[in-house]
Amino acid sequence: MKPRTRLIFGTGVALLAGAALWMMRVPSGPVQPTGNVPAATGWRLQPVVSGLEHPWSLAWLPGGEMLVTERPGRLRVVREGVLHPRAVSGLPDTLGIGHGGLMDIIPHPRFAENRWIYFTYGHGTLEANSTRLARGRLSADLAALSEVEVLHTVSPLKAGPQHFGSRLLWLPDGTLLLALGDGGNPPIRLNGELMREQAQRLDSQLGKILRLREDGTIPADNPFVGRPGADPFVWTLGHRNIQGLARDPASGRLWASEHGSRGGDELNLVTPGANYGWPRATYSIEYTFGTISRANTLPGLTDPVVVWTPAQAPSGLQFYTGSAFPAWRGDLFSGALKRKEVRRIDLDADGRVLGQETIAIGERVRDVRQGPDGHLYVLTDEKNGRLLRIEPVN
Ligand SMILES: [Ca+2]
C-alpha cells in the first residue's frame, strides 16, 4: 500500500471506529430522571423469617448462617431459615434514634481464621452523635461478641437523628470502605453554616466515603493523604446520605446509592478522589420545595449515573453474580424504602445502564443481598420486619 493510500485507508478506519463508539456511548448532558419502569418477570417472593424489629443489614458466615442487624441495637442469627430467639450478646450500646442505631455488618474477609465481625452504629446523644465503626470476635456458637473495639468515630460530631449513612465494603487489597451521610437537613448547622456543607469540606468526614485499614488506621495511598487541611481518611466526597454500596468483582467497578432531598436520589459510579457534588450540584430540591442548587452538574464534579425522581429512597445495593437468575447476572439490585420495591438496574458489560425494572415487595425495603444459593434476600424495614427470598419461577 502506498503511503497516501495507507493514510486514506487509516483515516477511514478511524472514522468508522469513532462513529461506532459514538453510537455505542451513553448520551451526555443532563441525566434523565427515572419515574415508573416496567415490572420484572420470572420471580416469586418466599417469606423466610418474620419478627425482626427494623432489620437493617444482613451478612452470611462461611457456615451458611446469616447475621441480621436490628436498628434498635440487636444482632440476630438465622440458621437454616430459623431466627434464633436470643440476640448475640456483647454489642456496645447504640444510639437508636431516627436514622441511627445498629446499621451495617460485614465479616472480615478471613473470618474463618479470625472470627472478626465489623459493624457500624450510631453513638452519643441526640445533641452530639456520630457513626462509629467497631469490630468484635464472634464466638463459635454465634452467641457472643468479645474483644469489641471501636475502630473509628466519625468526626465532627453532629446533632439530631439524621444522615448517619452507613455501609461497609471490603476492597480486594484488604482495606475497608465506610460510606457516610452529611449529618442532617436544614436547619441543622455547624460552625455557622448548614450541616450539609460538610459534604464539600475536605477536613470533615461527613458526606464522604472513608477508606481504612482493617485495624482502623489510615492507608498511605488514600487520595488526599498529605494534602494540607484534608482528612486523610477521605476517599470520595460530596455525598448526601449513602445507603447502598456494591462492587462488581469482575470489573472492580464500585457503585453507591444515596438519598437526595425531595427527588434526585442517585446511583453513582465511585472512583477514589472524586467529588459527587452535594450540595453544589443536585437534581433534588428542598423538602419545603425551595432550591438547593440551580446546578444539576458542574465542571469538576462527577454526575450520577441514575437519578430517581420522584424519590426511591434507595437502601441496600447488590451487584448480582449468581446462577439462579442467569438473565440478571451483571446487574445491580437496589432496595427502595419509599417505593417499597427492589429496583433491577440492567447494566451492560461496560457498566452502562440499559434500563430498569421493578420487583414489587409491598413493604419498605432496607437491604437486598445475594445469598450463597444465588437467590436475592430482602429485609423489610418494619416494626415486624421480615426476611424474604426472591426465587426464580419458570
Ligand atoms: Ca451527586
Side-chain angles (χ1 to χ4, degrees):
M1 204 183 283
K2 289 178 185 169
R4 186 180 157 77
T5 315
R6 194 185 303 143
L7 178 69
I8 292 167
F9 179 75
T11 306
V13 168
L15 281 173
L16 277 173
L21 274 176
W22 180 82
M23 285 164 69
M24 276 163 33
R25 82 193 178 120
V26 174
S28 61
V31 181
Q32 294 304 310
T34 313
N36 292 323
V37 300
T41 56
W43 60 276
R44 70 172 169 221
L45 214 49
Q46 182 71 34
V48 181
V49 161
S50 60
L52 294 160
E53 187 179 355
H54 293 289
W56 212 94
S57 176
L58 69 158
W60 280 265
L61 298 175
E65 307 91 344
M66 297 171 70
L67 299 177
V68 180
T69 59
E70 292 176 306
R71 203 179 63 213
R74 286 180 301 271
L75 177 59
R76 310 295 299 270
V77 174
V78 176
R79 206 190 297 253
E80 289 173 0
V82 177
L83 177 65
H84 195 279
R86 276 193 310 280
V88 175
S89 67
L91 272 88
D93 286 340
T94 61
L95 177 68
I97 50 164
H99 301 161
L102 183 59
M103 294 175 286
D104 213 11
I105 187 149
I106 188 169
H108 188 281
R110 296 190 314 278
F111 171 83
E113 296 163 37
N114 60 32
R115 309 290 301 178
W116 284 121
I117 294 289
Y118 287 66
F119 53 96
T120 59
Y121 61 104
H123 172 79
T125 63
L126 182 61
E127 295 75 28
N129 59 65
S130 66
T131 302
R132 272 189 167 175
L133 167 68
R135 68 177 176 182
R137 289 194 205 267
L138 187 60
S139 61
D141 61 2
L142 314 186
L145 271 191
S146 61
E147 298 177 57
V148 172
E149 54 180 312
V150 176
L151 297 177
H152 193 81
T153 301
V154 172
S155 69
L157 298 182
K158 66 183 194 63
Q162 298 166 341
H163 301 187
F164 287 83
S166 54
R167 287 289 175 186
L168 295 169
L169 187 97
W170 291 107
L171 293 178
D173 66 0
T175 59
L176 183 62
L177 298 182
L178 168 58
L180 298 164
D182 68 1
N185 292 315
I188 300 171
R189 302 175 84 85
L190 185 68
N191 301 328
E193 58 183 14
L194 287 178
M195 200 71 195
R196 61 170 53 140
E197 297 295 330
Q198 295 292 309
Q200 288 295 322
R201 292 188 64 105
L202 271 176
D203 62 354
S204 167
Q205 297 177 347
L206 294 168
K208 307 296 186 311
I209 298 178
L210 309 183
R211 177 167 168 260
L212 310 93
R213 299 203 307 195
E214 64 170 62
D215 61 358
T217 57
I218 303 159
D221 57 347
N222 267 358
F224 299 106
V225 165
R227 183 183 293 203
D231 188 294
F233 284 104
V234 172
W235 202 65
T236 62
L237 65 151
H239 302 285
R240 182 169 175 275
N241 193 17
I242 295 177
Q243 296 288 292
L245 193 58
R247 184 173 175 277
D248 168 0
S251 70
R253 274 188 286 271
L254 245 144
W255 300 90
S257 61
E258 67 178 68
H259 288 196
S261 179
R262 181 180 289 278
D265 294 346
E266 298 181 356
L267 176 72
N268 286 297
L269 185 55
V270 181
T271 54
N275 182 341
Y276 290 85
W278 176 258
R280 299 273 175 276
T282 178
Y283 286 78
S284 73
I285 59 173
E286 300 284 12
Y287 290 116
T288 54
F289 295 96
T291 301
I292 296 168
S293 168
R294 289 215 181 87
N296 296 143
T297 179
L298 286 171
L301 305 181
T302 303
D303 291 332
V305 175
V306 171
V307 173
W308 288 298
T309 300
Q312 284 275 103
S315 55
L317 190 66
Q318 174 71 53
F319 184 89
Y320 185 73
T321 59
S323 53
F325 296 97
W328 292 357
R329 219 175 287 153
D331 296 341
L332 278 170
F333 291 82
S334 171
L337 293 155
K338 193 170 175 187
R339 290 179 75 105
K340 301 184 175 182
E341 64 179 31
V342 171
R343 184 60 68 95
R344 172 184 170 228
I345 302 150
D346 187 9
L347 300 178
D348 73 9
D350 296 319
R352 287 173 295 207
V353 176
L354 300 175
Q356 296 182 49
E357 287 181 343
T358 179
I359 298 171
I361 303 296
E363 296 169 40
R364 289 163 55 84
V365 174
R366 174 58 77 182
D367 205 1
V368 55
R369 302 284 174 128
Q370 179 184 325
D373 56 6
H375 296 142
L376 288 165
Y377 287 79
V378 170
L379 289 177
T380 66
D381 176 39
E382 307 283 346
K383 176 77 179 167
N384 179 13
R386 298 197 290 163
L387 170 67
L388 309 165
R389 184 168 55 232
I390 301 173
E391 302 174 341
V393 289
N394 294 325

